Amino acid sequence: MALGGNQSGGMTEFVLAGFPDLNSTRMELFSVFLLVYLMTLTGNMLIVGAVGADTHLQTPMYFFLGNLSCLEILITSVIIPKMLSNFLSRQHTISFAGCITQFYFYFFLGASEFLLLAVMSVDRYLAICHPLRYPLLMNGAVCFRIALACWMGGLFSVLGSTVTVALLPFCKQGAVVQHFFCDSGPLLQLACTNTKKLEETDFVLAALVIISSLMITAASYGHIILAVLRIPSASGRRKTFSTCTSHLMVVTLFYGSAIFLYVRPSQSGSVDTNWAGTVVTTFVTPLLNPFIYALRNERVKEALKDMFRKVVAGFLRSLLSAENFIKKTVQ
């Protein structure tokens, strides 16, 4: 159905194509992604809870880790619930407003995560290379302002692009977005106008956020490696660098897939490579983050054990209180 004037103001919905050629395994995929989503939520919520509850984890490193887990919870929640509902529905539609909202929050949260990962690398650099000045440089107020700047940086960096996309003319009601969510490239392909300038602007913004944060991360780890190499004992070098390995693993996963997807002049790449790369940033990285940090960090493991013991103890006390109340009532 053609829209009057071909303006996005008349567009009410899109259709999400989902995963290509996988209709025969729809319920199996639904089960897998539901399990992944629940595990991602549980793991990252445990990290946030442990950081908030354990005084030993109330340091800059773990404060930023808590923020990272919050971002992972939100970025998966922007994409996965709608995708899961489409697995159970014959009509894979999403409203125009819902599509633009999904587009905005995905890129806002993603940009914030890049900025936060760069900040986390600088935090490790200061802790290792300037240990005496570290408590002054990274006090609570400074950490809060830096984290807020990361969130605000992501919030405003994609606002202009989102408004521009929302005002684009789209030719066909119910046009098919060749992806499982409203990603930039597949959405721009549906516009009834030349989007080359917008794609170039998006490329510049993506490069600015991703490459600049990657350069900060690389520079920080360059100084860290030099500082570690100057430590005389092998055990000392391992112990010092062990505080960075979890972050380095997450950085490698996240940056690798994001650069492959978004740091290129044209966003209209292969559908298969688009959704395969997005699976890494949207599913794999948020799922692995809690395990990477929990399994490789003794403090986090101890905090999680303490939190679990407190929860079990509280549950048992509640059961005992309920039992005593029932006995008194019966008597």
Side-chain angles (χ1 to χ4, degrees), residues 16 38 68 73 99 119 272 291 297 300 304 312 323 329:
L16 295 173
L38 293 176
L68 180 65
I73 291 169
C99 186
V119 165
D272 289 349
F291 294 100
N297 192 299
V300 174
L304 290 173
V312 172
E323 183 181 357
T329 303

Side-chain angles (χ1 to χ4, degrees), residues 108-331:
F108 144 48
L109 296 167
S112 297
E113 185 158 343
F114 282 117
L115 297 174
L116 187 64
L117 287 170
V119 165
M120 292 173 76
S121 67
V122 173
D123 171 70
R124 291 298 83 210
Y125 157 71
L126 293 174
I128 293 171
C129 299
H130 302 281
L132 297 179
R133 297 172 59 198
Y134 179 69
L136 179 63
L137 294 171
M138 298 297 287
N139 60 54
V142 170
C143 290
F144 176 79
R145 292 192 194 102
I146 291 174
L148 183 62
C150 291
W151 286 81
M152 291 298 103
L155 186 72
F156 291 113
S157 64
V158 300
L159 186 59
S161 294
T162 305
V163 172
T164 304
V165 170
L167 295 176
L168 284 174
F170 293 96
C171 303
K172 186 179 179 183
Q173 183 72 283
V176 179
V177 179
Q178 295 294 331
H179 213 323
F180 56 82
F181 81 106
C182 291
D183 197 4
S184 177
L187 197 57
L188 292 180
Q189 286 181 333
L190 304 179
C192 296
T193 187
N194 190 333
T195 60
K196 185 177 179 180
K197 287 186 178 179
L198 180 56
E199 289 189 30
E200 290 174 351
T201 303
D202 287 346
F203 166 71
V204 171
L205 284 173
L208 185 64
V209 173
I210 298 175
I211 301 300
S212 62
S213 62
L214 179 59
M215 288 175 65
I216 292 171
T217 301
S220 298
Y221 274 105
H223 285 91
I224 288 170
I225 290 170
L226 291 175
V228 168
L229 291 176
R230 286 196 291 266
I231 298 174
S233 67
S235 61
R237 289 194 293 269
R238 282 196 301 270
K239 184 178 180 181
T240 302
F241 197 71
S242 66
T243 63
C244 305
T245 51
S246 298
H247 177 256
L248 198 54
M249 291 170 69
V250 171
V251 163
T252 303
L253 275 173
F254 199 72
Y255 277 98
S257 56
I259 289 172
F260 171 75
L261 282 171
Y262 299 111
V263 184
R264 54 189 182 187
S266 175
Q267 296 296 322
S268 54
S270 166
V271 173
D272 289 349
T273 55
N274 272 352
W275 74 253
T278 310
V279 163
V280 176
T281 58
T282 311
F283 298 93
V284 178
T285 307
L287 174 64
L288 292 182
N289 277 359
F291 294 100
I292 290 172
Y293 278 101
L295 295 177
R296 297 185 63 86
N297 192 299
E298 290 299 325
R299 279 193 180 184
V300 174
K301 283 194 281 189
E302 286 302 317
L304 290 173
K305 288 176 184 176
D306 288 342
M307 189 169 66
F308 180 73
R309 283 193 290 265
K310 289 176 182 177
V311 169
V312 172
F315 179 70
L316 292 176
R317 281 196 298 270
S318 298
L319 286 180
L320 185 60
S321 299
E323 183 181 357
N324 291 334
F325 175 78
I326 293 170
K327 286 180 179 179
K328 289 179 181 178
T329 303
V330 172
Q331 291 173 355

